Structure formats: C-alpha cells, structure tokens
C-alpha cells in the first residue's frame, strides 16, 4: 500500500535526486525545468469499501474541519495568516460550482496527498499535503465517502492575499523539488501514523526555515513563530519526560485539553484537542501518547 | 515603539533610584489574576487527575476541589483586569490586548465558568463518571478564553 504513490510522486522523487547539483538554479528556472505533471490516471487502484464513519473521524482528526470551516461546515473562507501573506481555505463541500462536487476520488487523492489540483496546478503547503502524503488509500477513500454525506454549500472562495513573488504558484515547483519529501510511516505503527500523517503535529511543533519548510533535524523541537502570538512548545520525548509528563497526562490532554498542572491549553492547540484528538478513540489517544513519549 | 520607550524610561528610573525595579504599573493586578488563575488550575489539576484516571477517584477530595473551584469562579475579579495591563503594553503578562476589545465575550466566558463550576460542585462527589461528565463544560470555558485571549508563556 505504501508504495502506491503514483506516477507524479516517483517522477518528483527522481527529479529530486537529479536536482541535488543544481537545486538553486532549479528554483529560478523551475517553471521551465519541470514539465507539467501528468494528470495521474489513477492513484487509488484497488477496489475499496469506503467507511464513511471512519472518514468523519479522519476529517476531524486531520484538521480538515477546523481549517476548512469559517461559518458553514467545510465551506472554507477561514483566513490563515502567514509570513508570506493571508491565505483563505477553499470550499471543499460537494457543491459542483463552488466546492469540489465535480471531482473524482482520484482528484481528491491527488489534491490531499500530492498538493496538485485537477488542473495540474500546485497548492501552497499551507494545506498540509506534505503530512497527508503518507495517508493510506483506505483513509483517503473513507474521507471522500464522508464528504459525500455532508450538506453542500455554495459559499464562494476568497482569493489569497499574497504579495509578489509569493503569489506566483509556479514558484511552488521549485519549493516542492527542494522540500516535498515523501517519507511514509508504516500505518501499522498507528501512533506514529496518526501523529505524522493525520494530525500533523510537526506542522506547528517543528520550526521552519525561511522558505517555510520544516527543519527535519528539529522535529518536534517547538516553534514560537506561529501566527497570532501562538507558540508551540518543544514536545520531544526527552523534554516531555523531563517536564514530568506521563502517558495518563497526554491522554487527558488529548481528551480534554488539560495540562498536568490543571492549566488548560490555549491558542491553536485548542482546535487540535477539541476537533482533532478528542475525535479519536481512547485506544488511538493512548497510542499517540506512547508514540510521543517514545514508548 | 511605545513598548520600547516605556522600557527605556524604566531603565532610566531604575538607574536613578536603584531600589526596587518595577516591571510595570500593574504588578499587583497581574499578580492577582495570575494567582487567581493558579487557584483555578490547582483545583482543576486534582479533578483532572481523577477524571483522567491518573489518580484513584476519591469522592471527598473531588467534592472539596470542585467546591473550591465554584467559590473561586463566583468571585468578582473585575479589578484584576485594568485597561492597559495587556502583554503589548506591559511586561510579565500573557493576556492578549484583544481581551480588552472583547469585554462582552469575556464576561460571557466568566459566566459560563461560574455556571459549569456550580454544576460540577454539585456532582463531582457522585462517582467517577459523574465527575468526568462535569469536567467538559468547565474545561471548555477555560479553553475558550485561553484560545483567544492568552498567549503561551515561554
């Protein structure tokens, strides 16, 4: 299952290897350097029986609901400020004009895991496809089935407000070449799979370089440069242990949002606990806790 | 800019008087509200440890902590939040300026805290599941306010 990343992925990976010599040049002439990615004919090949119930949980846990909802559920419009400008999440309800109602399952898989639209353009990594790239075919199919069941909204999308040069999507080709790594955690390692690919803890808890890419060597070391004065603390296992965290504390944080000293989390972590980890089963919260503590 | 000027003035006065160095004009209020929050946290810590099954459930201890919480929540803490005591204007606080722009919301949140704490005080002694059920409303009141109006201490 984990090898089924599709033509685009393997192509990009080969490019990445070839690129190691001339990466810098690649950013500059990125648009000429890479041919348009082919519309992957089929990413999800095997027959699957989608489970919409599991899909609803994944949409919550993955932060899709939190980020794609401002007023109407999943209708987008939420402003996301960043050092590069303001992004607005799009409508992902099944509305055929404003949402993604005309899409196929494979269009959806390509968008969520590869950050590529049905037209072949690239999404900004503010949509965390860099984490979702490791989600299983089954989980993608489940989310797609869940989205079909939700009410659709005709709320129109708001254009991102980005200054030049960040408003040039073509630059994303160079960015992907440099920073879009496809490392997949084995879904059998469920705690790790949930943390890295579904709940994407690293997106906030790992510091970024100046081009907005996560610094792999500082995985979970904390990031105090988040929008709106948010600061995500260091959550590496040795730091958590030094601070006295045990599995029961993490499980209660994931269920209720409380810290071991009776304080309650604030900032964007509230969305993670309330919509994300609270939606998981208590078994999954325990696996997540064990993964964080390195047990 | 304003923050910088203020710091500069403080440095100068510190040199002149070389006595107690004041961190800001609202030390007492900030200390007061942080201690107040500390009391809320202390009691929630006990209740949460039981609710999260880190510690065995004890009906008397749960009742006592929940009653303390309800008493604290009912306290009039209005004077602890003077205008100008936000983190952009003064040191030593993690209260966002936004709090003072949204007083009606803050009052609602404090009202919710009071209501849910009273309910918890009535129920916390009636068994573990009753405690667990009552934690949600109180915890949500804490989180709703921290989410918007409080920055992470670091």
């Amino acid at each position: 299952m984990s090898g089924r990343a599709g033509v685009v992925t393997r192509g990009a990976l080969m490019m990445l290897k070839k690129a190691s010599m001339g990466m810098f040049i690649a950013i500059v002439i990125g648009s000429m350097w890479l041919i348009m990615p082919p519309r992957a004919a089929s990413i999800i090949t095997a027959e699957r029986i989608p489970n919409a119930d599991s899909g609803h949980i994944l949409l919550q846990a993955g932060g899709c609901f939190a980020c794609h909802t401002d007023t109407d559920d999943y209708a987008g419009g939420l402003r996301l400020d960043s050092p590069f400008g303001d992004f607005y999440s799009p409508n992902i309800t099944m509305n055929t004009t404003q949402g993604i109602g005309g899409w196929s399952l494979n269009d959806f898989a390509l968008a969520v895991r590869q950050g590529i639209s049905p037209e072949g353009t690239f999404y900004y990594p503010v949509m965390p496809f860099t984490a979702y790239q490791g989600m299983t075919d089954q989980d993608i199919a489940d989310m797609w089935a869940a989205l079909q069941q939700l009410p659709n909204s005709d709320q129109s999308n708001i254009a991102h407000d980005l200054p030049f040069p960040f408003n040039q999507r073509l630059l994303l080709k160079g960015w992907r070449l440099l920073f879009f790594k496809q490392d997949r955690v084995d879904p059998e390692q469920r705690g790790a799979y949930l943390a890295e690919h579904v709940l994407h803890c690293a997106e906030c808890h790992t510091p970024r370089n100046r081009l907005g890419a996560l610094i792999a060597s500082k995985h979970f070391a904390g990031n105090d440069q988040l929008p709106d004065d948010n600061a995500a603390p260091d959550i590496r296992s040795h730091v958590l242990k030094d601070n006295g965290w045990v599995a029961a504390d993490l499980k209660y944080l994931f269920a209720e949002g409380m810290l071991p000293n009776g304080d309650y989390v604030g900032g964007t972590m509230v969305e993670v606990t309330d919509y994300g980890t609270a939606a998981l089963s208590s078994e999954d919260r325990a696996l997540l806790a064990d993964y964080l503590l390195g047990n | 800019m304003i923050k910088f000027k203020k710091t500069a003035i403080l440095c100068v006065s510190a040199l002149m008087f070389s006595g107690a160095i004041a961190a800001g004009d609202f030390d007492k209020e900030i200390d007061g509200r942080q201690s107040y929050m500390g009391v809320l946290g202390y009691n929630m810590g006990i209740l949460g440890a039981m609710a999260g099954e880190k510690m065995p459930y004890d009906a008397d201890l749960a009742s006592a902590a929940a009653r303390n919480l309800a008493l604290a929540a009912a306290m009039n803490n209005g004077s602890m939040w003077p205008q100008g005591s936000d983190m952009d204007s003064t040191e030593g606080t993690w209260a966002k300026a936004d709090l003072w722009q949204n007083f009606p919301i803050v009052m609602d949140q404090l009202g919710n805290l009071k209501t849910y704490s009273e309910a918890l005080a009535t129920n916390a002694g009636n068994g573990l599941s009753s405690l667990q059920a009552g934690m949600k409303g109180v915890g949500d009141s804490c989180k709703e306010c921290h989410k918007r109006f409080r920055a992470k201490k670091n």
Side-chain angles (χ1 to χ4, degrees):
Chain A
M1 175 173 296
S2 53
R4 204 175 290 132
V7 185
V8 179
T9 316
R10 262 178 259 123
L13 273 176
M14 277 169 59
M15 291 296 190
L16 194 69
K17 286 202 186 100
K18 277 194 203 160
S20 56
M21 296 280 288
M23 274 189 187
F24 194 73
I25 303 166
I27 309 183
V28 183
I29 56 165
S31 55
M32 298 142 74
W33 211 70
L34 266 180
I35 48 163
M36 259 340 229
R39 285 245 359 231
S42 166
I43 286 198
I44 296 184
T45 45
E47 288 286 319
R48 280 172 202 286
I49 302 165
N51 176 341
D53 291 342
S54 131
H56 287 293
I57 293 172
L58 289 162
L59 288 170
Q60 293 280 334
C64 327
F65 173 75
C67 215
H68 280 277
T69 303
D70 187 27
T71 46
D72 293 358
D73 290 2
Y74 297 100
L78 188 72
R79 185 173 61 83
L80 304 156
D81 51 357
S82 81
F84 309 104
D86 290 347
F87 293 94
Y88 291 88
S89 59
N91 184 334
I92 57 164
T93 69
M94 287 302 131
N95 190 278
T96 44
T97 48
Q98 305 300 334
I100 58 171
W103 288 23
S104 68
L105 168 59
N106 282 326
D107 289 338
F108 180 69
L110 193 64
V112 175
R113 287 198 295 213
Q114 301 295 314
I116 298 173
S117 77
E119 292 77 39
T121 58
F122 296 123
Y123 293 122
Y124 290 95
V126 58
M127 156 71 194
F129 61 88
T130 45
Y132 303 142
Q133 49 89 14
M135 285 185 83
T136 63
D137 289 359
Q138 182 70 50
D139 283 354
I140 295 284
D142 290 355
M143 289 196 294
W144 183 242
L147 284 172
Q148 310 303 316
Q149 297 181 337
L150 294 164
N152 85 51
S153 159
D154 61 4
Q155 183 174 303
S156 44
N157 288 334
I158 305 173
H160 305 318
D161 185 5
L162 306 170
F164 183 83
F166 303 120
N167 57 0
Q168 303 295 304
R169 276 188 196 267
L170 279 176
L171 286 181
L172 292 169
K173 286 185 179 179
W175 192 94
R176 292 167 67 95
L177 212 54
L178 289 174
F179 302 123
F180 186 25
K181 308 251 162 54
Q182 313 244 348
D183 303 325
R184 294 182 160 200
V185 168
D186 179 359
E188 297 295 316
Q189 310 287 320
R190 188 145 173 91
Y193 173 78
L194 289 170
E196 302 302 339
H197 295 318
V198 182
L199 290 117
H200 57 271
C201 321
E203 290 287 314
C204 296
H205 284 276
T206 300
R208 291 172 187 273
N209 67 19
R210 273 187 296 163
L211 290 171
L214 300 175
I215 302 170
S217 62
K218 299 204 172 138
H219 189 64
F220 285 178
N223 181 1
D224 58 8
Q225 303 295 310
L226 298 172
D228 292 330
D229 288 326
N230 276 288
D234 191 331
I235 54 165
R236 287 176 294 181
S237 58
H238 67 276
V239 174
L240 289 175
K241 283 178 179 158
D242 283 353
N243 290 340
W245 289 82
V246 296
D249 295 323
L250 284 167
K251 281 191 280 180
Y252 202 61
L253 170 74
F254 297 150
E256 303 283 343
M258 196 186 87
L259 299 168
N261 67 353
D263 195 349
Y264 273 76
V265 288
T268 42
M269 189 63 198
V270 176
E271 290 187 349
V272 177
T273 58
D274 284 14
Y275 303 128
T277 51
L280 298 174
S281 66
S282 59
E283 290 79 21
D284 279 350
R285 285 196 291 266
L287 293 171
L288 202 55
D290 287 344
Y291 172 63
L292 272 174
L293 290 171
N295 297 339
Chain B
M1 208 54 183
I2 291 172
K3 192 172 175 185
F4 171 75
K5 267 192 207 146
K6 194 160 191 173
T7 322
I9 292 166
L10 278 171
C11 290
V12 173
S13 47
L15 280 174
M16 279 162 58
F17 302 108
S18 71
I21 300 169
D25 305 327
F26 299 113
D27 278 3
K28 283 199 302 275
E29 289 85 352
I30 291 169
D31 270 1
R33 72 194 183 211
Q34 287 174 349
S35 310
Y36 173 65
M37 288 290 160
V39 170
L40 299 181
Y42 174 76
N43 289 294
M44 285 304 272
I46 293 172
L47 295 164
M50 283 188 253
E53 294 177 57
K54 185 184 175 185
M55 190 174 136
Y57 175 76
D58 173 331
D60 293 336
L61 186 59
S63 287
R67 254 185 269 122
N68 288 344
L69 186 79
L71 286 171
M75 201 173 95
N76 183 331
N77 57 67
S79 64
M80 294 175 177
W81 308 93
Q83 193 85 37
S85 65
D86 58 89
M87 64 185 287
D88 293 341
S89 320
T90 188
E91 305 279 301
T93 176
W94 288 267
K96 295 187 185 178
D98 221 24
L99 188 149
W100 282 265
Q101 260 90 68
N102 292 283
F103 244 76
I105 296 178
V106 175
M107 294 314 290
D108 274 359
Q109 288 171 343
L110 289 169
N112 286 340
L113 178 64
K114 188 165 172 272
T115 311
Y116 286 114
S117 301
E118 275 161 9
L120 187 63
T122 323
N123 298 323
N126 301 337
L128 179 60
S129 53
S130 167
L131 166 66
Q132 285 167 332
M135 288 293 281
K136 180 138 180 50
V138 181
D140 283 350
S141 326
C142 316
K143 274 181 291 183
E144 274 311 306
C145 187
H146 288 186
K147 178 176 169 182
R148 273 190 75 170
F149 301 126
R150 178 207 181 187
K152 181 75 181 167
K153 207 174 187 169
N154 50 7

